[in-house]
Amino acid sequence: MLSYMSEFIGTALLVLLGDGVCAAVNLNKSGFKGAGAVYIMLGWGLAVMLPAMAFGAQSGAHFNPVLTVGLAVIGAFPWAAVPGYILAQMLGGLVGAILVWVVYRPQFAATEDADTIRGTFCTGPQIRNIPQNILCEAAATFALVFFIVAIGHAGMTNVGDVGLNYFFVYAIIMSCGFSLGGTTGFAMNPARDLSPRIAHAILPIPNKGSSDWGYALVPVVGPLIGAILGALLANAVILG
């Protein structure tokens, strides 16, 4: 039960901080409006790293359904715990996104552009081509999970000081974002995209427009493919 609660709270905080930086940069009347992509990359890296530091010992700090599945595929996580982890992560992502709206409610009300509002919650492609978009999400998530598994197997995460190992997570997120995020926004995580998309759909936000459900499967299918392939290759290389 502690592990599930840790995944729920950790994912909620991840989305609160991660979507929060998107709100800070993009919404009208925000003091950081226009800060740019580098600001968002730095904020998202920290949004992943800090909950991982707080909850890594309790749950392993997955905060991502496809990472949980990838680890289960290679035998690094029990399949029996997968449904509970995924439920906790998805609910955490929903709560985190709702909290972003609570904090930035005046800024949402001051923003008229529907794409900007939706982009605070979830990702979208720069060029809409669903097969290519799935490929891009798969590639980014492949890199994410490959390095998480490979570095973990190599023993590089056990560096002694409490929490210092999660700077590796920060580096992985930053690298994936800088190198592979310009195409689809590097969701890499259904709890970070699908759950906030649901929040966008149900919240009473003025001028919010469509939640773009036609794109919603891309940041689910792509990351799932990439996570499984990344975990399998990392496991094969390290153990082979």
Side-chain angles (χ1 to χ4, degrees), residues 34 49 93 97 99 101 112 114-115 136 184 186 195 211 218 233 236 238:
M49 183 184 74
L99 291 174
W101 172 70
E112 298 180 354
D115 290 342
C136 292
T184 59
F186 75 116
S195 290
S211 299
V218 171
L233 181 61
I238 297 301

Side-chain angles (χ1 to χ4, degrees), residues 142-153:
F142 172 89
L144 170 74
V145 176
F146 176 88
F147 284 116
I148 287 174
V149 174
I151 293 173
H153 272 311

Side-chain angles (χ1 to χ4, degrees), residues 21 50 53 58-60 70 78 108 110 122 128 137 159 162 171 173 177 188-189 194 211 219 221:
V21 76
L50 293 176
M53 285 181 166
Q58 288 85 358
S59 70
F108 277 110
C122 51
R128 194 182 188 93
E137 281 293 325
V159 293
V162 175
I173 295 295
M188 305 189 297
N189 181 350
L194 181 57
S211 299
V221 174

Side-chain angles (χ1 to χ4, degrees), residues 208-235:
K208 69 178 180 179
S210 166
S211 299
D212 195 9
W213 291 109
Y215 183 77
L217 282 179
V218 171
V220 176
V221 174
L224 182 60
I225 294 170
I228 292 172
L229 295 176
L232 287 172
L233 181 61
N235 195 58

